[in-house]
Amino acid sequence: MRIVQILTALIVTGVLYLVVFEREQLLAFAGAAPQTEQQANAPDDTGHVVSVVAQAMQAQEIDSAVILRGQTEAARKVELRSEITGQVISSPLRKGKYVTRDTIMCELDPGTRQANLAEANAAIAEAEAARPEASARVIEAQAVLREAEINARAARELSKNGYASETKLANAEAAIESARAAVEAATGGLASAEARILSAQAAVASAEKEIDRLTIEAPFDGIIEDDTAELGSLMQPGSLCGTVIQLDPIKVVGFVPETEVNRIEMGAKAGARLTTGQQVVGRVTFLSRSADEVTRTFRVEIDVANPDLDIREGQTAEVAISAPGAKAHLLPQSSLTLNDDGALGVRVVDTGDIVRFIPVKVLRDTVDGIWVSGLPETVSVIVVGQEYVVDGVTVKPTYREAQR
């Protein structure tokens, strides 16, 4: 019995050695040499070839959109700040409140500003009252000058005939110079009166502007982002009264890579899908001419109507901007496969029913199939059996009509 067990063990060891270490020689001895995948798919001595199902595809023009990630931004946002010093005398408006243009956000205590305005108005009245007197002095001085000139001419004629002394002539000419000086002085007085009027008017305008600055108003329709300044708080120049944002329309902002920027045109139709699932449509209103120094991308803005204000600022959005169309094929997703290098593509039936692998680029995924580019205008794509054939083998294709 022990000898039988030893012989059995030797036989099993020998068989395992042949199967593991001498497999090719064993198969060759048995007449069953291993086949490669291509040989397996080649026709045998009986003429048998692999059968596949193919579908004739025709390229179609599709709208090739530029896909971006972005976020929503307020169309306008402004921080309202005080220009003067004063105490707030109005009740605060709470954040989230919708305000219209010219709504008073903050009102400051006028203090002595009304008195300053009254004083400036009084200064105008005083300056204007002095103007007629100054004008009269100019007229009076001009009359004296004309009289002195007449007297001087008479003195010259009498002096020529010896009827007037040199002293009288000299006095007449001196009177002319004195009258001219009086005219200049009167003219200067009139100009000074005019200047006082202008100064008083400027003081009035300044006082009125100070009074206008007592009320800080909303520059446009919008929503208050934060509570306005509290009643009784002291405002200094630059102190924040409140922040107003405009959300209708609202902007969807994204950043376009260098490779895609030339495909976008101003006014192009665009759509966005928010993280809430809401879908909106708008148009491109801005495309930056300068790239971001860090990301090398270009800012693009899309205006979207938001009448109900249900879109908030800062929401993440997936943006699709329409671009010039491109030729593409609509294929079943199951027809896509990978080659030995890991490239995505499809296997097609070429001339002579020879299989050929063609890499493709996925453009868009839809419920009807997947749009790809990179194929010839007309091509027969293997939709069943593509995983069992490789490049160069001959197949027996059965064609089916494209689903519509």
Side-chain angles (χ1 to χ4, degrees):
M1 290 295 294
R2 186 175 182 82
I3 296 175
V4 173
Q5 293 175 349
I6 294 173
L7 290 176
T8 301
L10 291 175
I11 293 172
V12 171
T13 302
V15 172
L16 291 175
Y17 174 80
L18 291 174
V19 171
V20 175
F21 296 101
E22 304 293 339
R23 180 171 177 273
E24 293 184 0
Q25 289 79 356
L26 182 63
L27 293 175
F29 176 77
Q35 293 179 313
T36 63
E37 183 180 0
Q38 183 171 352
Q39 291 172 334
N41 287 287
D44 56 19
D45 294 338
T46 63
H48 174 72
V49 294
V50 177
S51 296
V52 296
V53 177
Q55 184 173 320
M57 301 288 185
Q58 182 70 34
Q60 303 178 47
E61 187 83 14
I62 67 166
D63 180 17
S64 180
V66 177
I67 307 300
L68 308 171
R69 296 284 291 181
Q71 65 178 19
T72 58
E73 284 188 8
R76 289 193 288 182
K77 182 176 183 177
V78 62
E79 294 180 343
L80 303 175
R81 297 182 180 273
S82 175
E83 298 180 77
I84 58 175
T85 300
Q87 191 176 43
V88 178
I89 60 174
S90 60
S91 298
L93 301 179
R94 299 306 177 187
K95 56 188 174 184
K97 179 180 176 60
Y98 183 82
V99 294
T100 58
R101 182 179 179 179
D102 297 333
T103 298
I104 296 178
M105 304 282 291
C106 296
E107 186 175 1
L108 306 183
D109 183 11
T112 61
R113 291 180 177 85
Q114 292 290 354
N116 294 338
L117 176 59
E119 182 180 355
N121 282 321
I124 287 182
E126 181 181 356
E128 289 180 343
R131 180 165 52 184
E133 182 181 354
S135 298
R137 288 177 181 173
V138 172
I139 295 172
E140 181 183 0
Q142 290 173 343
V144 172
L145 176 59
R146 286 195 296 271
E147 180 182 2
E149 290 174 343
I150 293 171
N151 293 334
R153 282 197 299 270
R156 289 192 195 97
E157 292 297 327
L158 292 173
S159 178
K160 289 179 183 179
N161 298 323
Y163 297 109
S165 64
E166 292 293 332
T167 302
K168 187 174 181 179
L169 178 60
N171 290 336
E173 292 178 348
I176 290 176
E177 296 300 326
S178 177
R180 287 175 178 169
V183 170
E184 293 294 332
T187 303
L190 179 59
S192 178
E194 296 286 353
R196 285 195 297 272
I197 292 174
L198 293 177
S199 177
Q201 290 173 343
V204 169
S206 177
E208 290 175 343
K209 187 64 176 178
E210 282 284 299
I211 292 175
D212 289 341
R213 290 170 176 169
L214 292 172
T215 55
I216 302 174
E217 301 175 346
F220 49 78
D221 297 354
I223 295 176
I224 300 175
E225 186 69 6
D226 301 300
D227 292 346
T228 59
E230 188 59 64
L231 175 67
S233 58
L234 180 64
M235 303 286 283
Q236 302 285 349
S239 297
L240 180 63
C241 166
T243 302
V244 179
I245 60 175
Q246 185 183 49
L247 297 181
D248 183 27
I250 195 168
K251 293 189 294 186
V252 180
V253 178
F255 292 88
V256 188
E258 294 178 275
T259 55
E260 301 283 348
V261 67
N262 286 337
R263 299 180 57 203
I264 298 178
E265 298 178 355
M266 290 293 296
K269 189 176 181 180
R273 182 170 57 196
L274 307 180
T275 51
T276 58
Q278 182 179 2
Q279 297 186 3
V280 294
V281 177
R283 293 194 176 274
V284 175
T285 57
F286 173 77
L287 180 60
S288 175
R289 292 286 180 177
S290 176
D292 184 272
E293 294 183 357
V294 178
T295 62
R296 308 306 303 168
T297 56
F298 296 82
R299 180 184 174 96
V300 60
E301 296 180 1
I302 301 162
D303 275 5
V304 174
N306 188 27
D308 298 330
L309 306 181
D310 52 350
I311 304 175
R312 304 175 184 273
E313 183 182 29
Q315 289 185 260
T316 303
E318 183 178 359
V319 183
I321 304 175
S322 63
K327 289 286 188 178
H329 292 76
L330 180 62
L331 306 179
Q333 293 186 358
S334 59
S335 65
L336 298 178
T337 186
L338 299 174
N339 65 2
D340 294 338
D341 297 327
L344 181 66
V346 295
R347 289 190 171 94
V348 302
V349 179
D350 207 348
T351 304
D353 294 338
I354 303 298
V355 174
R356 184 160 64 95
F357 179 85
I358 302 179
V360 298
K361 178 182 178 182
V362 176
L363 298 180
R364 190 182 305 167
D365 190 3
T366 68
V367 294
D368 298 324
I370 191 164
W371 289 96
V372 300
S373 62
L375 296 176
E377 184 80 12
T378 302
V379 65
S380 297
V381 178
I382 300 176
V383 295
V384 178
Q386 69 272 18
E387 300 295 345
Y388 302 101
V389 294
V390 295
D391 277 11
V393 303
T394 303
V395 294
K396 181 180 180 181
T398 299
Y399 291 91
R400 74 179 186 188
E401 294 183 359
Q403 298 179 354
R404 298 185 182 275

